[in-house]
């Protein structure tokens, strides 16, 4: 099973396309939707949804994949549920770069402060990070610098921030899921 978390643009038709592409790896791809506006609510909702989905599968190699803001959640929710995660152009600091787009940006800081201390060290090797060199939204070198000592970083030379075409990364994601 693959649990898919959309980015901030929850209604983008690109989400359906990514789910369709991920079905080449695993026929069981489930979209987990969340508000994007209310971080504390989103965290509790996602924790409950992932727990429920894990009870409905017998796949011991289930993973969680998130793009952009979904990458922020995939890392944390994956860790808290013991799942490997794939972070595609993750937004590591929504409290800083989403001002005016979300209602309570300070809640992201609160979540980061209340999350398990040094969770990335405890989660080391359990996330795969896929970054676009041509990201038109974030400086992914900053993301790489923050995550590279904990997780494998894979650079994509062609895709923009929303990463509409996963094809070149599917073999890597599949190997990570099975590994």
């Amino acid at each position: 099973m693959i649990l898919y978390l959309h980015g901030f643009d929850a209604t983008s038709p690109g989400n359906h396309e990514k789910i369709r592409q991920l079905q080449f790896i695993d026929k069981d791809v489930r979209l987990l939707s969340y508000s994007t506006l209310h971080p504390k609510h989103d965290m509790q909702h996602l924790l409950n949804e992932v727990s429920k989905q894990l009870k409905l599968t017998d796949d011991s190699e289930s993973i969680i994949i998130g793009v952009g803001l979904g990458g922020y959640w995939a890392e944390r929710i994956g860790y808290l549920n013991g799942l490997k995660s794939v972070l595609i152009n993750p937004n590591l600091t929504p409290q800083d770069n989403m001002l005016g787009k979300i209602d309570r940006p300070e809640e992201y800081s609160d979540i980061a402060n209340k999350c398990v201390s040094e969770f990335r060290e405890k989660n080391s090797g359990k996330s795969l990070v896929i970054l676009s060199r041509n990201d038109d939204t974030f400086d992914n070198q900053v993301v790489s610098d923050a995550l590279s000592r904990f997780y494998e970083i894979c650079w994509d030379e062609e895709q923009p921030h929303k990463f509409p075409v996963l094809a070149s990364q599917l073999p890597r994601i599949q190997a990570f899921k099975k590994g």
Side-chain angles (χ1 to χ4, degrees):
M1 174 178 67
I2 296 174
L3 300 173
Y4 175 78
L5 300 176
H6 58 76
F8 183 71
D9 187 5
T11 60
S12 168
N15 290 317
H16 175 71
E17 181 59 27
K18 281 190 264 311
I19 289 170
R20 195 181 67 70
Q21 293 173 52
L22 288 168
Q23 288 174 334
F24 285 104
I25 295 173
D26 190 320
K27 294 291 182 209
D28 187 5
V29 180
R30 303 176 191 187
L31 170 67
L32 298 182
S33 195
Y34 58 100
S35 77
T36 73
L37 299 176
H38 307 290
K40 282 187 181 179
H41 170 77
D42 289 342
M43 182 158 188
Q44 189 59 52
H45 170 73
L46 288 170
L47 283 168
N48 290 338
E49 280 300 304
V50 168
S51 178
K52 181 169 59 173
Q53 296 304 319
L54 290 173
K55 289 176 185 170
L56 298 173
T57 186
D58 59 0
D59 183 357
S60 63
E61 298 174 337
S62 294
I63 61 171
I64 189 166
I65 297 177
V67 179
L69 185 59
Y72 172 91
W73 290 117
E75 181 186 23
R76 283 162 178 76
I77 301 299
Y79 169 73
L80 292 170
N81 281 280
L83 292 173
K84 292 199 285 187
S85 59
V86 178
L87 318 176
I88 301 173
N89 293 330
N91 182 349
L92 299 183
T93 57
Q95 69 272 18
D96 297 328
N97 57 38
M98 294 185 70
L99 297 174
K101 293 181 180 180
I102 53 178
D103 289 346
R104 299 177 194 101
E106 70 280 357
E107 288 183 8
Y108 283 107
S109 296
D110 191 45
I111 288 167
N113 291 334
K114 288 184 177 171
C115 200
V116 176
S117 65
E118 302 172 14
F119 85 96
R120 286 187 176 133
E121 287 181 8
K122 296 171 183 168
N123 197 44
S124 187
K126 294 182 182 164
S127 287
L128 170 65
V129 182
I130 301 173
L131 300 174
S132 298
R133 290 223 191 262
N134 298 319
D135 192 321
D136 50 341
T137 303
F138 299 123
D139 178 353
N140 278 335
Q141 187 58 55
V142 172
V143 175
S144 177
D145 292 347
L147 299 179
S148 63
R149 69 183 189 117
F150 307 107
Y151 311 132
E152 177 185 358
I153 306 291
C154 300
W155 287 96
D156 186 278
E157 303 298 329
E158 297 177 16
Q159 295 301 305
H161 177 70
K162 289 187 178 184
F163 223 102
V165 181
L166 292 170
S168 66
Q169 301 299 330
L170 290 178
R172 183 172 273 132
I173 294 169
Q174 184 172 30
F176 180 72
K177 183 180 186 303
K178 294 193 180 294

